Amino acid sequence: MKKLIQIAAFALINAAAVQAAPQTVTLDVPGMTCAACPFTVKKAISKVDGVSKVDVSYERRQAVVTFDDARASAQKLTQATENAGYPSTVKR
Ligand SMILES: [Cu+2]
């Protein structure tokens, strides 16, 4: 019986891990107009709960963001950049 409970608990933990999958999205951030802008954008995105990685390219006017989709969403990311003064859209 104890073994069965252990298996059930293991399955539950795995299910939770599957639900909280890391996602990577690319955001177009056209409003970046100088080399300092990416720092502001990166800071704003990094503050969103669940974000684990942010790479902002000024040259490409893009932000590549990895986040836990159980805590963050693409919509929360674009909202964060917009609040910082840089409206963005998800690149498809
Ligand atoms: Cu700037």
Side-chain angles (χ1 to χ4, degrees), residues 23-30 61-63 65 67 73-79 81 87-92:
Q23 294 231 339
T24 301
V25 293
T26 300
L27 304 177
D28 281 319
V29 195
R61 309 289 194 279
Q62 283 179 351
V65 187
F67 61 96
S73 64
Q75 202 264 327
K76 278 185 188 172
L77 303 177
T78 56
Q79 187 66 57
T81 65
S88 64
T89 54
V90 177
K91 189 181 170 71
R92 307 213 180 261

PDB file of all heavy atoms in Angstrom, residues 23-30 61-63 65 67 73-79 81 87-92:
ATOM      1  N   GLN A  23       8.069  28.106 -21.496  1.00  0.00           N
ATOM      2  CA  GLN A  23       7.728  28.545 -22.851  1.00  0.00           C
ATOM      3  C   GLN A  23       8.665  29.663 -23.250  1.00  0.00           C
ATOM      4  O   GLN A  23       9.099  30.438 -22.412  1.00  0.00           O
ATOM      5  CB  GLN A  23       6.304  29.114 -22.879  1.00  0.00           C
ATOM      6  CG  GLN A  23       5.238  28.102 -22.612  1.00  0.00           C
ATOM      7  CD  GLN A  23       4.150  28.127 -23.661  1.00  0.00           C
ATOM      8  OE1 GLN A  23       3.995  29.135 -24.341  1.00  0.00           O
ATOM      9  NE2 GLN A  23       3.451  27.046 -23.801  1.00  0.00           N
ATOM     10  N   THR A  24       8.959  29.740 -24.528  1.00  0.00           N
ATOM     11  CA  THR A  24       9.782  30.833 -25.026  1.00  0.00           C
ATOM     12  C   THR A  24       8.997  31.580 -26.101  1.00  0.00           C
ATOM     13  O   THR A  24       8.445  30.966 -27.004  1.00  0.00           O
ATOM     14  CB  THR A  24      11.101  30.308 -25.608  1.00  0.00           C
ATOM     15  OG1 THR A  24      11.792  29.598 -24.578  1.00  0.00           O
ATOM     16  CG2 THR A  24      11.976  31.454 -26.088  1.00  0.00           C
ATOM     17  N   VAL A  25       8.905  32.885 -25.932  1.00  0.00           N
ATOM     18  CA  VAL A  25       8.244  33.701 -26.950  1.00  0.00           C
ATOM     19  C   VAL A  25       9.186  34.817 -27.388  1.00  0.00           C
ATOM     20  O   VAL A  25      10.062  35.250 -26.641  1.00  0.00           O
ATOM     21  CB  VAL A  25       6.920  34.346 -26.458  1.00  0.00           C
ATOM     22  CG1 VAL A  25       5.855  33.315 -26.205  1.00  0.00           C
ATOM     23  CG2 VAL A  25       7.145  35.227 -25.247  1.00  0.00           C
ATOM     24  N   THR A  26       8.994  35.257 -28.606  1.00  0.00           N
ATOM     25  CA  THR A  26       9.721  36.410 -29.118  1.00  0.00           C
ATOM     26  C   THR A  26       8.746  37.573 -29.227  1.00  0.00           C
ATOM     27  O   THR A  26       7.670  37.430 -29.796  1.00  0.00           O
ATOM     28  CB  THR A  26      10.324  36.094 -30.500  1.00  0.00           C
ATOM     29  OG1 THR A  26      11.210  34.992 -30.373  1.00  0.00           O
ATOM     30  CG2 THR A  26      11.091  37.293 -31.047  1.00  0.00           C
ATOM     31  N   LEU A  27       9.142  38.687 -28.618  1.00  0.00           N
ATOM     32  CA  LEU A  27       8.302  39.876 -28.680  1.00  0.00           C
ATOM     33  C   LEU A  27       8.948  40.902 -29.612  1.00  0.00           C
ATOM     34  O   LEU A  27      10.149  41.146 -29.536  1.00  0.00           O
ATOM     35  CB  LEU A  27       8.156  40.507 -27.286  1.00  0.00           C
ATOM     36  CG  LEU A  27       7.612  39.636 -26.163  1.00  0.00           C
ATOM     37  CD1 LEU A  27       7.618  40.421 -24.848  1.00  0.00           C
ATOM     38  CD2 LEU A  27       6.207  39.148 -26.467  1.00  0.00           C
ATOM     39  N   ASP A  28       8.142  41.488 -30.458  1.00  0.00           N
ATOM     40  CA  ASP A  28       8.602  42.617 -31.256  1.00  0.00           C
ATOM     41  C   ASP A  28       8.412  43.869 -30.414  1.00  0.00           C
ATOM     42  O   ASP A  28       7.311  44.141 -29.937  1.00  0.00           O
ATOM     43  CB  ASP A  28       7.782  42.726 -32.544  1.00  0.00           C
ATOM     44  CG  ASP A  28       8.241  41.722 -33.595  1.00  0.00           C
ATOM     45  OD1 ASP A  28       9.457  41.532 -33.727  1.00  0.00           O
ATOM     46  OD2 ASP A  28       7.376  41.139 -34.265  1.00  0.00           O
ATOM     47  N   VAL A  29       9.504  44.604 -30.232  1.00  0.00           N
ATOM     48  CA  VAL A  29       9.449  45.827 -29.430  1.00  0.00           C
ATOM     49  C   VAL A  29       9.947  46.991 -30.302  1.00  0.00           C
ATOM     50  O   VAL A  29      11.120  47.374 -30.227  1.00  0.00           O
ATOM     51  CB  VAL A  29      10.314  45.717 -28.157  1.00  0.00           C
ATOM     52  CG1 VAL A  29       9.967  46.835 -27.167  1.00  0.00           C
ATOM     53  CG2 VAL A  29      10.139  44.360 -27.478  1.00  0.00           C
ATOM     54  N   PRO A  30       9.080  47.511 -31.154  1.00  0.00           N
ATOM     55  CA  PRO A  30       9.531  48.503 -32.142  1.00  0.00           C
ATOM     56  C   PRO A  30       9.930  49.848 -31.535  1.00  0.00           C
ATOM     57  O   PRO A  30      10.631  50.631 -32.184  1.00  0.00           O
ATOM     58  CB  PRO A  30       8.312  48.661 -33.074  1.00  0.00           C
ATOM     59  CG  PRO A  30       7.149  48.233 -32.246  1.00  0.00           C
ATOM     60  CD  PRO A  30       7.655  47.186 -31.293  1.00  0.00           C
ATOM     61  N   ARG A  61      15.201  44.787 -32.433  1.00  0.00           N
ATOM     62  CA  ARG A  61      14.000  45.314 -31.762  1.00  0.00           C
ATOM     63  C   ARG A  61      13.136  44.159 -31.253  1.00  0.00           C
ATOM     64  O   ARG A  61      11.920  44.141 -31.438  1.00  0.00           O
ATOM     65  CB  ARG A  61      13.142  46.191 -32.696  1.00  0.00           C
ATOM     66  CG  ARG A  61      13.901  47.296 -33.423  1.00  0.00           C
ATOM     67  CD  ARG A  61      14.317  48.410 -32.464  1.00  0.00           C
ATOM     68  NE  ARG A  61      14.730  49.598 -33.187  1.00  0.00           N
ATOM     69  CZ  ARG A  61      15.943  49.774 -33.728  1.00  0.00           C
ATOM     70  NH1 ARG A  61      16.865  48.834 -33.614  1.00  0.00           N
ATOM     71  NH2 ARG A  61      16.228  50.892 -34.350  1.00  0.00           N
ATOM     72  N   GLN A  62      13.816  43.204 -30.626  1.00  0.00           N
ATOM     73  CA  GLN A  62      13.110  42.022 -30.153  1.00  0.00           C
ATOM     74  C   GLN A  62      13.537  41.630 -28.752  1.00  0.00           C
ATOM     75  O   GLN A  62      14.667  41.898 -28.353  1.00  0.00           O
ATOM     76  CB  GLN A  62      13.382  40.825 -31.076  1.00  0.00           C
ATOM     77  CG  GLN A  62      12.597  40.864 -32.367  1.00  0.00           C
ATOM     78  CD  GLN A  62      12.925  39.671 -33.260  1.00  0.00           C
ATOM     79  OE1 GLN A  62      13.843  38.911 -32.988  1.00  0.00           O
ATOM     80  NE2 GLN A  62      12.166  39.531 -34.328  1.00  0.00           N
ATOM     81  N   ALA A  63      12.619  40.981 -28.060  1.00  0.00           N
ATOM     82  CA  ALA A  63      12.934  40.392 -26.768  1.00  0.00           C
ATOM     83  C   ALA A  63      12.554  38.915 -26.829  1.00  0.00           C
ATOM     84  O   ALA A  63      11.441  38.581 -27.223  1.00  0.00           O
ATOM     85  CB  ALA A  63      12.156  41.085 -25.653  1.00  0.00           C
ATOM     86  N   VAL A  65      11.940  35.767 -24.557  1.00  0.00           N
ATOM     87  CA  VAL A  65      11.642  35.559 -23.145  1.00  0.00           C
ATOM     88  C   VAL A  65      11.255  34.106 -22.872  1.00  0.00           C
ATOM     89  O   VAL A  65      10.415  33.543 -23.563  1.00  0.00           O
ATOM     90  CB  VAL A  65      10.471  36.468 -22.694  1.00  0.00           C
ATOM     91  CG1 VAL A  65      10.268  36.379 -21.187  1.00  0.00           C
ATOM     92  CG2 VAL A  65      10.693  37.904 -23.136  1.00  0.00           C
ATOM     93  N   PHE A  67       9.632  31.719 -19.964  1.00  0.00           N
ATOM     94  CA  PHE A  67       8.846  31.861 -18.734  1.00  0.00           C
ATOM     95  C   PHE A  67       8.100  30.569 -18.426  1.00  0.00           C
ATOM     96  O   PHE A  67       7.889  29.726 -19.295  1.00  0.00           O
ATOM     97  CB  PHE A  67       7.863  33.032 -18.851  1.00  0.00           C
ATOM     98  CG  PHE A  67       6.856  32.880 -19.974  1.00  0.00           C
ATOM     99  CD1 PHE A  67       5.600  32.359 -19.721  1.00  0.00           C
ATOM    100  CD2 PHE A  67       7.172  33.264 -21.254  1.00  0.00           C
ATOM    101  CE1 PHE A  67       4.668  32.211 -20.743  1.00  0.00           C
ATOM    102  CE2 PHE A  67       6.252  33.104 -22.295  1.00  0.00           C
ATOM    103  CZ  PHE A  67       5.008  32.591 -22.039  1.00  0.00           C
ATOM    104  N   SER A  73       2.373  34.729 -18.720  1.00  0.00           N
ATOM    105  CA  SER A  73       1.753  34.503 -20.022  1.00  0.00           C
ATOM    106  C   SER A  73       2.305  35.559 -20.981  1.00  0.00           C
ATOM    107  O   SER A  73       2.843  36.581 -20.541  1.00  0.00           O
ATOM    108  CB  SER A  73       0.230  34.647 -19.924  1.00  0.00           C
ATOM    109  OG  SER A  73      -0.103  35.978 -19.579  1.00  0.00           O
ATOM    110  N   ALA A  74       2.152  35.307 -22.260  1.00  0.00           N
ATOM    111  CA  ALA A  74       2.614  36.284 -23.250  1.00  0.00           C
ATOM    112  C   ALA A  74       1.916  37.620 -23.030  1.00  0.00           C
ATOM    113  O   ALA A  74       2.518  38.681 -23.182  1.00  0.00           O
ATOM    114  CB  ALA A  74       2.354  35.761 -24.660  1.00  0.00           C
ATOM    115  N   GLN A  75       0.650  37.543 -22.639  1.00  0.00           N
ATOM    116  CA  GLN A  75      -0.114  38.771 -22.408  1.00  0.00           C
ATOM    117  C   GLN A  75       0.484  39.575 -21.242  1.00  0.00           C
ATOM    118  O   GLN A  75       0.562  40.807 -21.308  1.00  0.00           O
ATOM    119  CB  GLN A  75      -1.576  38.389 -22.125  1.00  0.00           C
ATOM    120  CG  GLN A  75      -2.573  39.501 -22.380  1.00  0.00           C
ATOM    121  CD  GLN A  75      -2.930  40.266 -21.119  1.00  0.00           C
ATOM    122  OE1 GLN A  75      -2.955  39.677 -20.043  1.00  0.00           O
ATOM    123  NE2 GLN A  75      -3.175  41.555 -21.241  1.00  0.00           N
ATOM    124  N   LYS A  76       0.923  38.874 -20.187  1.00  0.00           N
ATOM    125  CA  LYS A  76       1.535  39.571 -19.049  1.00  0.00           C
ATOM    126  C   LYS A  76       2.848  40.228 -19.471  1.00  0.00           C
ATOM    127  O   LYS A  76       3.217  41.298 -18.973  1.00  0.00           O
ATOM    128  CB  LYS A  76       1.801  38.584 -17.905  1.00  0.00           C
ATOM    129  CG  LYS A  76       0.581  38.316 -17.055  1.00  0.00           C
ATOM    130  CD  LYS A  76       0.949  37.435 -15.866  1.00  0.00           C
ATOM    131  CE  LYS A  76      -0.286  36.984 -15.112  1.00  0.00           C
ATOM    132  NZ  LYS A  76       0.050  35.979 -14.083  1.00  0.00           N
ATOM    133  N   LEU A  77       3.572  39.573 -20.383  1.00  0.00           N
ATOM    134  CA  LEU A  77       4.851  40.116 -20.847  1.00  0.00           C
ATOM    135  C   LEU A  77       4.641  41.390 -21.662  1.00  0.00           C
ATOM    136  O   LEU A  77       5.325  42.396 -21.453  1.00  0.00           O
ATOM    137  CB  LEU A  77       5.600  39.074 -21.691  1.00  0.00           C
ATOM    138  CG  LEU A  77       5.886  37.722 -21.020  1.00  0.00           C
ATOM    139  CD1 LEU A  77       6.559  36.785 -22.002  1.00  0.00           C
ATOM    140  CD2 LEU A  77       6.729  37.897 -19.768  1.00  0.00           C
ATOM    141  N   THR A  78       3.676  41.341 -22.591  1.00  0.00           N
ATOM    142  CA  THR A  78       3.435  42.535 -23.415  1.00  0.00           C
ATOM    143  C   THR A  78       2.889  43.674 -22.541  1.00  0.00           C
ATOM    144  O   THR A  78       3.205  44.834 -22.762  1.00  0.00           O
ATOM    145  CB  THR A  78       2.460  42.236 -24.579  1.00  0.00           C
ATOM    146  OG1 THR A  78       1.242  41.718 -24.065  1.00  0.00           O
ATOM    147  CG2 THR A  78       3.058  41.243 -25.556  1.00  0.00           C
ATOM    148  N   GLN A  79       2.108  43.295 -21.528  1.00  0.00           N
ATOM    149  CA  GLN A  79       1.587  44.312 -20.604  1.00  0.00           C
ATOM    150  C   GLN A  79       2.738  44.977 -19.845  1.00  0.00           C
ATOM    151  O   GLN A  79       2.752  46.196 -19.662  1.00  0.00           O
ATOM    152  CB  GLN A  79       0.605  43.654 -19.628  1.00  0.00           C
ATOM    153  CG  GLN A  79      -0.136  44.627 -18.728  1.00  0.00           C
ATOM    154  CD  GLN A  79      -1.074  45.534 -19.514  1.00  0.00           C
ATOM    155  OE1 GLN A  79      -1.947  45.063 -20.224  1.00  0.00           O
ATOM    156  NE2 GLN A  79      -0.867  46.844 -19.422  1.00  0.00           N
ATOM    157  N   THR A  81       5.913  45.326 -20.790  1.00  0.00           N
ATOM    158  CA  THR A  81       6.701  46.241 -21.630  1.00  0.00           C
ATOM    159  C   THR A  81       5.908  47.514 -21.912  1.00  0.00           C
ATOM    160  O   THR A  81       6.468  48.605 -21.931  1.00  0.00           O
ATOM    161  CB  THR A  81       7.126  45.589 -22.970  1.00  0.00           C
ATOM    162  OG1 THR A  81       5.974  45.320 -23.758  1.00  0.00           O
ATOM    163  CG2 THR A  81       7.934  44.331 -22.755  1.00  0.00           C
ATOM    164  N   PRO A  87       5.386  49.413 -25.917  1.00  0.00           N
ATOM    165  CA  PRO A  87       4.377  48.442 -26.348  1.00  0.00           C
ATOM    166  C   PRO A  87       5.021  47.363 -27.227  1.00  0.00           C
ATOM    167  O   PRO A  87       5.903  47.666 -28.037  1.00  0.00           O
ATOM    168  CB  PRO A  87       3.387  49.278 -27.185  1.00  0.00           C
ATOM    169  CG  PRO A  87       3.603  50.686 -26.710  1.00  0.00           C
ATOM    170  CD  PRO A  87       5.057  50.781 -26.336  1.00  0.00           C
ATOM    171  N   SER A  88       4.602  46.115 -27.039  1.00  0.00           N
ATOM    172  CA  SER A  88       5.187  45.022 -27.805  1.00  0.00           C
ATOM    173  C   SER A  88       4.093  44.074 -28.278  1.00  0.00           C
ATOM    174  O   SER A  88       2.978  44.086 -27.755  1.00  0.00           O
ATOM    175  CB  SER A  88       6.210  44.264 -26.960  1.00  0.00           C
ATOM    176  OG  SER A  88       5.561  43.650 -25.862  1.00  0.00           O
ATOM    177  N   THR A  89       4.449  43.279 -29.256  1.00  0.00           N
ATOM    178  CA  THR A  89       3.534  42.258 -29.741  1.00  0.00           C
ATOM    179  C   THR A  89       4.287  40.942 -29.835  1.00  0.00           C
ATOM    180  O   THR A  89       5.497  40.921 -30.013  1.00  0.00           O
ATOM    181  CB  THR A  89       2.980  42.606 -31.139  1.00  0.00           C
ATOM    182  OG1 THR A  89       4.075  42.863 -32.018  1.00  0.00           O
ATOM    183  CG2 THR A  89       2.057  43.826 -31.093  1.00  0.00           C
ATOM    184  N   VAL A  90       3.537  39.846 -29.711  1.00  0.00           N
ATOM    185  CA  VAL A  90       4.150  38.531 -29.835  1.00  0.00           C
ATOM    186  C   VAL A  90       4.399  38.255 -31.307  1.00  0.00           C
ATOM    187  O   VAL A  90       3.503  38.379 -32.134  1.00  0.00           O
ATOM    188  CB  VAL A  90       3.236  37.435 -29.233  1.00  0.00           C
ATOM    189  CG1 VAL A  90       3.852  36.058 -29.425  1.00  0.00           C
ATOM    190  CG2 VAL A  90       2.985  37.710 -27.767  1.00  0.00           C
ATOM    191  N   LYS A  91       5.648  37.895 -31.592  1.00  0.00           N
ATOM    192  CA  LYS A  91       6.012  37.571 -32.973  1.00  0.00           C
ATOM    193  C   LYS A  91       5.517  36.185 -33.316  1.00  0.00           C
ATOM    194  O   LYS A  91       5.710  35.253 -32.549  1.00  0.00           O
ATOM    195  CB  LYS A  91       7.538  37.634 -33.113  1.00  0.00           C
ATOM    196  CG  LYS A  91       8.034  37.531 -34.525  1.00  0.00           C
ATOM    197  CD  LYS A  91       9.547  37.580 -34.525  1.00  0.00           C
ATOM    198  CE  LYS A  91      10.104  37.234 -35.881  1.00  0.00           C
ATOM    199  NZ  LYS A  91       9.875  38.274 -36.867  1.00  0.00           N
ATOM    200  N   ARG A  92       4.839  36.022 -34.455  1.00  0.00           N
ATOM    201  CA  ARG A  92       4.299  34.717 -34.834  1.00  0.00           C
ATOM    202  C   ARG A  92       5.019  34.164 -36.051  1.00  0.00           C
ATOM    203  O   ARG A  92       5.596  34.893 -36.791  1.00  0.00           O
ATOM    204  CB  ARG A  92       2.797  34.840 -35.142  1.00  0.00           C
ATOM    205  CG  ARG A  92       2.046  35.495 -34.011  1.00  0.00           C
ATOM    206  CD  ARG A  92       0.635  34.956 -33.888  1.00  0.00           C
ATOM    207  NE  ARG A  92      -0.054  35.612 -32.778  1.00  0.00           N
ATOM    208  CZ  ARG A  92      -0.187  35.063 -31.581  1.00  0.00           C
ATOM    209  NH1 ARG A  92       0.327  33.881 -31.357  1.00  0.00           N
ATOM    210  NH2 ARG A  92      -0.818  35.693 -30.628  1.00  0.00           N
TER     211      ARG A  92
END
